[in-house]
């Protein structure tokens, strides 16, 4: 789900792409077009900041106009995104292992009709369901503090207690050759006994069009499932379905090889945050 949660994923690092073998000349040429476009925009931004007296930043709270869209529509969009994502996860056929970092961190993938290639991360975290829900949904605006792939996340609107509309901007980091992306997403949460579901997808709102200077990427139906791990107090099983279209000129084959690495990076940052939080009490 979370774009933030990943969206996280637009901080894909260049070393992962650089290490991939067998890139064809056509793919390299397309990447070159993307980089040229980003470099040109970067020069424009630099000129505006240094010579034009214009400050360029992602939109802050003062820049966001109230969303006027129907709230029922937004809630239904979030619920439908979660339903579709859960259907993908419940279909156990066709998953292939992409990466394993330990016995408890495994990423698999499959091609889903209408969604393309999707990725499923399975991990075990030293945190309770409530703690992870707090970090990933309630305090989602603080994600940039512990996930360097995120520049900022703003909650544009609370649509009841279970649904929010967010705008995210990926970080402009030295290793990020994909370039900054922004995301407009609906996020929906659901609690059932000892399990929390966080679902979401891209949403189109007339009151918040694409921002100048960014490629607006889109989350397909995504979902995170956080489930208490048996009788082990303070441990949770973390399942994350990632379904993303980063847009732009980059070939899907290149992005699809980088996305699972981005998932591993995210889970590492999340673990560091949980460790720091436990240390501080």
């Amino acid at each position: 789900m979370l774009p933030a949660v990943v969206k996280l994923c637009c901080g894909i690092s260049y070393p992962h792409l650089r290490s991939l073998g067998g890139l064809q000349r056509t793919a390299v040429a397309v990447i070159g077009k993307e980089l040229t476009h980003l470099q040109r925009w970067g020069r424009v931004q630099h000129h505006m900041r240094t010579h034009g007296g214009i400050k360029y930043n992602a939109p802050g709270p003062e820049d966001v106009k109230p969303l006027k869209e129907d709230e029922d529509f937004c809630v239904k969009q979030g619920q439908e995104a979660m339903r579709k994502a859960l259907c993908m996860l419940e279909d156990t056929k066709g998953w292939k292992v992409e990466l394993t970092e330990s016995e408890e961190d495994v990423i698999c993938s499959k091609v889903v009709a209408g969604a393309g290639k999707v990725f499923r991360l399975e991990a075990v975290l030293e945190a309770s369901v409530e703690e992870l829900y707090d970090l990933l949904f309630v305090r989602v605006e603080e994600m940039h503090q512990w996930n360097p792939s995120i520049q900022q996340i703003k909650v544009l609107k609370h649509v009841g207690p279970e649904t929010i509309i967010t705008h995210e901007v990926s970080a402009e980091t030295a290793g990020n050759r994909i370039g900054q992306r922004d995301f407009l997403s609906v996020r929906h949460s659901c609690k059932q006994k000892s399990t929390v579901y966080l679902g979401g997808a891209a949403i189109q709102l007339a009151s918040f069009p694409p921002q100048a200077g960014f490629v607006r990427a889109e989350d397909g139906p995504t979902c995170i499932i956080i489930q208490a791990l048996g009788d082990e107090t303070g441990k949770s099983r973390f399942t994350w379905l990632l379904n993303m279209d980063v847009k732009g000129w980059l070939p899907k084959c290149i992005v699809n090889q980088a996305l699972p690495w981005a998932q591993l990076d995210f889970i590492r940052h999340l673990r560091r945050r949980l460790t720091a939080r436990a240390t501080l009490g």
Side-chain angles (χ1 to χ4, degrees), residues 187-227:
R187 303 163 187 251
H188 184 71
S189 67
C190 177
K191 294 183 180 180
Q192 293 184 355
K193 296 182 179 180
S194 59
T195 303
V196 165
Y197 301 89
L198 306 176
I203 190 170
Q204 307 291 332
L205 300 178
S207 56
F208 203 87
Q211 306 298 293
F214 296 102
V215 175
R216 175 154 291 181
E218 294 184 354
D219 282 312
T222 64
C223 185
I224 288 177
I225 303 173
I226 309 166
Q227 187 174 26

Side-chain angles (χ1 to χ4, degrees), residues 62-97:
E62 67 280 1
D63 305 311
V64 176
K65 298 178 181 180
L67 297 179
K68 300 177 182 179
E69 277 72 18
D70 180 76
E71 292 190 357
D72 288 340
F73 167 78
C74 294
V75 171
K76 289 178 181 177
Q77 288 284 96
Q79 292 173 338
E80 180 64 8
M82 181 178 290
R83 185 192 68 79
K84 289 181 178 179
L86 289 174
C87 285
M88 293 183 199
L89 286 173
E90 288 169 359
D91 184 357
T92 59
K93 297 179 180 179
W95 292 98
K96 297 180 180 179
V97 175

Side-chain angles (χ1 to χ4, degrees), residues 106-126:
V106 180
I107 297 177
C108 298
S109 69
K110 69 183 296 186
V111 176
V112 177
K117 196 168 186 178
V118 301
F119 300 88
R120 184 192 70 206
L121 178 145
E122 298 274 0
V124 174
L125 298 175
E126 297 281 346

Side-chain angles (χ1 to χ4, degrees), residues 7-56:
K7 267 139 231 191
L8 32 198
C9 291
C10 275
I12 297 169
S13 61
Y14 179 53
H16 297 322
L17 296 181
R18 185 174 55 196
S19 64
L20 299 176
L23 296 183
Q24 297 183 1
R25 293 180 182 179
T26 52
V28 174
V30 174
I31 293 172
K33 291 181 181 178
E34 171 85 357
L35 296 180
T36 299
H37 168 74
L38 294 174
Q39 288 166 357
R40 285 175 180 168
W41 174 248
R43 287 195 292 270
V44 172
Q45 286 181 271
H46 177 73
H47 181 79
M48 291 168 63
R49 285 194 286 257
T50 57
H51 301 293
I54 299 175
K55 185 177 181 181
Y56 178 84

